[in-house]
Structures are given as C-alpha cells and as structure tokens.
Amino acid sequence: MKDKLVQAYEAMKSGDFTSDLVKETVEEIKALPRNELGVFDMSVVSANVYEAGGYVYPVYMLYETKANGKKGYMDLMAQLRTLSPKYDHDLSLENATYYLDMMVKCIDAISPEIYELYRELIAMFRARMKGTLIMAQGESGEAVRSIGASIEKACDMDIILAEKYLDTAKALQEVAE
C-alpha cells in the first residue's frame, strides 16, 4: 500500500484528484480498521505508526482539501490530536523524523482558510519540533538529516521563523552527511 500512497500523493500534488488511483487509495484509507483510540490501524503501511502516518495522513488531508469539500477534516484532526500526545511517550530520533515529516506534509495539505485547524496543526508541529531539536543535539545520521529537512521545509512554508531556525536546519543536514 505504501507505493500506492506515494503515487496517489504525487498525482494529487500535480493536480490529479479524479484518477482511479487517487479514488481507490482514498477509499482504502477510509476503510482502514481503527484502534481503540479511533486512529487508523496503518500496520499494512508500516509497523511504525508515525512512518505510516507520513504516507496516509497527507494523502487523506490533500484529498479532503481539494476534492471532498473538507468533509473529513474533523476525523483527520481527531486522529492527529490523538497521535501527537502519544508521540510524546514514543520519543526517538526515528519517530521524530517521521512525525515532523507527517506534520509538515499535513500542514502543506490543509486549507489555511480553516484557520483554527491550520493553526492547531502548526502548534502541534512547533511543540514537538522544539523537543526534537534538543534530542538531535550531538547526534548524526539519516534521521538527523531528515529532521533538518523537515525544519527547513517548515521555514520555507513560514510555519516557523526562518531567521531563527533555518541555520539550525541546515546544520542538522550537514552534520548527518
């Protein structure tokens, strides 16, 4: 399913919201079973819920924003609200990589006109980003590079202040090389 999610995401980013691939993928997302907290069971995508979420939630958010009249926003937000505090108990560089990537993609996909939800996603990202920066100090590797890339993208999207975080983002990417 991971490859299909990547293809659907790329198709929607290029403006295709009506292809069979996109429709089938979104239907498969909506049909995923849910756990006791109401969050999708995404184990068919990855055993790591944050990695899986980085594939599932941006596709779902982009589809809801551009093709479904934002009807699924409340479901999406409820799931992301549940995952964010859970992440606080699952801290690791690997999870941080996946979580920040997932949140940046979701923020990129949500309609800023739905201001309260847009701002809530940004607040979730910012709160976890600060802890991630502390955790990444003195570390190296692919996870650190990915964290730097997510923070750089957040700077480019004006989610966080580039004047404050862009140098840090670039330094994280260089340390990891």
Side-chain angles (χ1 to χ4, degrees):
M1 184 174 186
K2 191 185 293 186
D3 290 336
K4 195 173 189 180
L5 288 163
V6 169
Q7 291 171 355
Y9 184 74
E10 292 302 320
M12 287 190 290
K13 287 298 277 184
S14 66
D16 175 10
F17 296 94
T18 60
S19 69
D20 289 341
L21 169 71
V22 169
K23 289 177 183 177
E24 282 176 25
T25 304
V26 171
E27 289 308 313
E28 287 178 34
I29 290 171
K30 290 179 180 182
L32 287 171
R34 296 181 185 243
N35 66 21
E36 65 281 353
L37 300 173
V39 174
F40 290 137
D41 174 355
M42 299 175 283
S43 57
V44 296
V45 179
S46 173
N48 184 308
V49 68
Y50 308 105
E51 178 184 17
Y55 291 98
V56 171
Y57 293 117
V59 169
Y60 190 15
M61 183 73 76
L62 194 54
Y63 182 80
E64 289 300 323
T65 299
K66 300 290 187 178
N68 201 33
K70 304 167 187 68
K71 293 176 190 165
Y73 270 16
M74 290 303 117
D75 177 45
L76 272 158
M77 290 303 295
Q79 291 189 53
L80 292 171
R81 285 181 192 120
T82 301
L83 279 179
S84 282
K86 181 181 178 339
Y87 165 78
D88 293 338
H89 299 288
D90 297 338
L91 289 176
S92 72
L93 279 177
E94 179 184 36
N95 287 345
T97 298
Y98 297 135
Y99 180 84
L100 292 181
D101 179 61
M102 173 183 73
M103 293 305 291
V104 164
K105 287 178 180 174
C106 286
I107 293 165
D108 191 33
I110 195 170
S111 174
E113 288 83 25
I114 313 298
Y115 187 74
E116 293 80 14
L117 301 181
Y118 177 74
R119 293 299 301 166
E120 186 177 355
L121 287 180
I122 289 173
M124 286 181 209
F125 175 87
R126 286 178 179 167
R128 276 64 188 195
M129 181 203 70
K130 290 177 183 176
T132 298
L133 287 174
I134 293 168
M135 193 176 14
Q137 285 180 346
E139 299 291 334
S140 63
E142 186 60 31
V144 175
R145 191 185 79 67
S146 295
I147 289 166
S150 291
I151 292 171
E152 184 174 0
K153 184 171 181 178
C155 289
D156 293 343
M157 294 169 52
D158 294 325
I159 294 171
I160 55 177
L161 291 174
E163 298 84 23
K164 187 172 182 179
Y165 293 106
L166 188 57
D167 290 340
T168 301
K170 289 183 184 223
L172 288 172
Q173 293 176 75
E174 290 171 8
V175 165
E177 291 179 357

